[in-house]
């Protein structure tokens, strides 16, 4: 029996959807190879209502130019299927791509949502980037801040948010019907798990968050935010199940202790370079995907702290 009340609520939701097909979402994944990110359109086929999860704004770091090709692919899909966007959901403040949520909101409507602990991330990175007192650190850049166990709907689909910190303090998993969108907690079983060495990250928390997710019913569909093609695999993939992860995940399958995981994760993280787009991505995403305010010449600037990280 699951003792975690909010996890038990999520499990019952998943079980209802596995019995009743009308409670299962239709899901389209959009892979951005430049950042190895998967964005999703999740919708209720009957009601025609949809959520966009972890959208990508194209950004060229050498020139500092943005473009909307990735977001426009999603718009084409949504409009061709006559879908109404209700939510723009961020699983966390991404360090590897800039969110396209403001652009998509302008075109399609809908509310922008993230986990309530985004305020902790805003505080840490607001100081790093010397954002000043004009930068609000209360999550007000978002329309909705989700708490652990909070429920929501997309048409007739049931949704519940679960707090899964470790990669960052603010990571959330969003369970919609029988599908879990787990952000940067876990990857395909042959690749393992997310890093935990960003400010506010914690390998112990990450292990517990992953094991929490892997306590969901075996057939729960897990949709991942990234894939990097593990050695020996020639294609990108981003869907697995709880059962598959428990049996096969190279970092955190059944039988791996928290102590062993933390030792592995800590040692592995020491070998990893910072993501190419971490400075622009975090700086923009803590603002809900909006660029810093233009300066007196009308141009927005991304700061790069020198010798500070």
């Amino acid at each position: 029996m699951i003792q975690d009340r909010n996890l038990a609520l999520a499990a019952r939701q998943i079980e209802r959807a596995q019995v009743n097909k009308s409670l299962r979402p239709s899901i389209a994944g959009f892979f951005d190879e430049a950042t190895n990110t998967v964005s999703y359109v999740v919708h209720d086929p009957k009601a025609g209502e949809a959520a966009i999860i972890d959208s990508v704004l194209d950004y060229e770091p050498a020139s500092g130019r943005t473009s909307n090709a990735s977001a426009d692919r999603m718009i084409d899909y949504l409009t061709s299927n006559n879908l109404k966007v209700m939510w723009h959901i961020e699983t966390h403040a991404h360090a590897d791509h800039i969110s396209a949520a403001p652009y998509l909101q302008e075109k399609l409507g809908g509310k922008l949502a993230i986990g309530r602990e985004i305020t902790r991330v805003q505080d840490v990175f607001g100081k790093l980037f010397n954002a000043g007192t004009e930068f609000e650190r209360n999550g007000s850049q978002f329309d909705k801040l989700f708490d652990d166990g909070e429920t929501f709907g997309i048409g007739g689909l049931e949704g519940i948010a679960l707090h899964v910190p470790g990669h960052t303090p603010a990571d959330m998993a969003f369970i919609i019907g029988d599908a879990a969108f787990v952000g940067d907690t876990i990857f395909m079983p042959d690749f393992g798990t997310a890093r935990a060495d960003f400010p506010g990250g914690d390998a112990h928390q990450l292990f517990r968050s992953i094991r929490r997710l892997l306590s969901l019913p075996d057939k729960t569909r897990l949709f991942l935010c990234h894939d990097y093609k593990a050695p020996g695999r020639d294609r990108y993939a981003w869907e697995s199940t709880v059962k598959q992860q428990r049996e096969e995940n190279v970092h955190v399958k059944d039988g791996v202790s928290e102590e062993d995981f933390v030792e592995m994760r800590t040692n592995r993280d020491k070998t990893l370079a910072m993501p190419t787009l971490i400075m622009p991505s975090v700086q923009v995403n803590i603002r809900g995907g909006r660029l810093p305010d233009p300066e007196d010449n009308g141009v927005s600037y991304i700061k790069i702290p020198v010798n500070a990280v």
Side-chain angles (χ1 to χ4, degrees), residues 57-256:
L57 181 74
D58 302 304
Y59 177 78
E60 170 50 56
S63 65
R65 299 199 67 85
T66 64
S67 59
N68 301 310
S70 295
D72 286 339
R73 283 198 299 146
M74 302 179 81
I75 292 174
D76 290 343
Y77 175 85
L78 287 151
T79 54
S80 65
N81 286 281
N82 297 311
L83 300 177
K84 181 180 180 181
V85 175
M86 308 304 294
W87 294 101
H88 301 266
I89 293 174
E90 303 290 351
T91 55
H92 62 295
H94 309 277
D96 40 34
H97 72 269
I98 295 174
S99 170
Y103 172 76
L104 290 164
Q105 270 191 299
E106 181 182 352
K107 298 291 184 181
L108 302 168
K111 293 182 178 180
L112 175 58
I114 199 166
R116 184 169 299 281
E117 294 299 312
I118 186 61
T119 56
R120 290 181 59 191
V121 179
Q122 288 176 326
D123 186 54
V124 169
F125 284 99
K127 292 174 182 175
L128 176 64
F129 294 115
N130 197 28
T133 56
E134 68 276 9
F135 171 59
E136 298 285 350
R137 295 162 168 81
N138 59 5
S140 59
Q141 300 85 352
F142 301 85
D143 301 308
K144 173 65 178 176
L145 302 181
F146 276 106
D147 292 305
D148 185 73
E150 192 165 357
T151 60
F152 60 101
I154 304 169
L157 301 176
E158 299 176 312
I160 186 168
L162 295 178
H163 186 213
V164 287
H167 174 62
T168 78
D171 279 62
M172 301 290 288
F174 291 90
I175 321 299
I176 301 172
D178 66 332
F181 299 87
V182 299
D184 288 16
T185 53
I186 198 166
F187 300 140
M188 290 300 289
D190 57 359
F191 199 87
T193 58
R195 66 196 299 165
D197 60 334
F198 292 153
D202 186 292
H204 288 280
Q205 281 191 330
L206 181 61
F207 178 85
R208 294 166 194 166
S209 292
I210 292 171
R211 296 310 304 183
R212 188 184 192 207
L213 290 172
L214 297 187
S215 297
L216 293 169
D218 280 355
K219 293 183 180 179
T220 305
R221 296 183 289 163
L222 303 181
F223 290 88
L224 320 178
C225 190
H226 296 287
D227 188 55
Y228 304 94
K229 288 198 296 191
R233 175 159 54 86
D234 295 328
R235 61 179 181 83
Y236 291 110
W238 47 81
E239 180 181 353
S240 65
T241 65
V242 164
K243 185 175 188 293
Q244 184 183 14
Q245 295 283 1
R246 291 184 64 143
E247 292 178 350
E248 302 175 19
N249 189 284
V250 295
H251 292 169
V252 73
K253 64 186 175 183
D254 288 353
V256 174

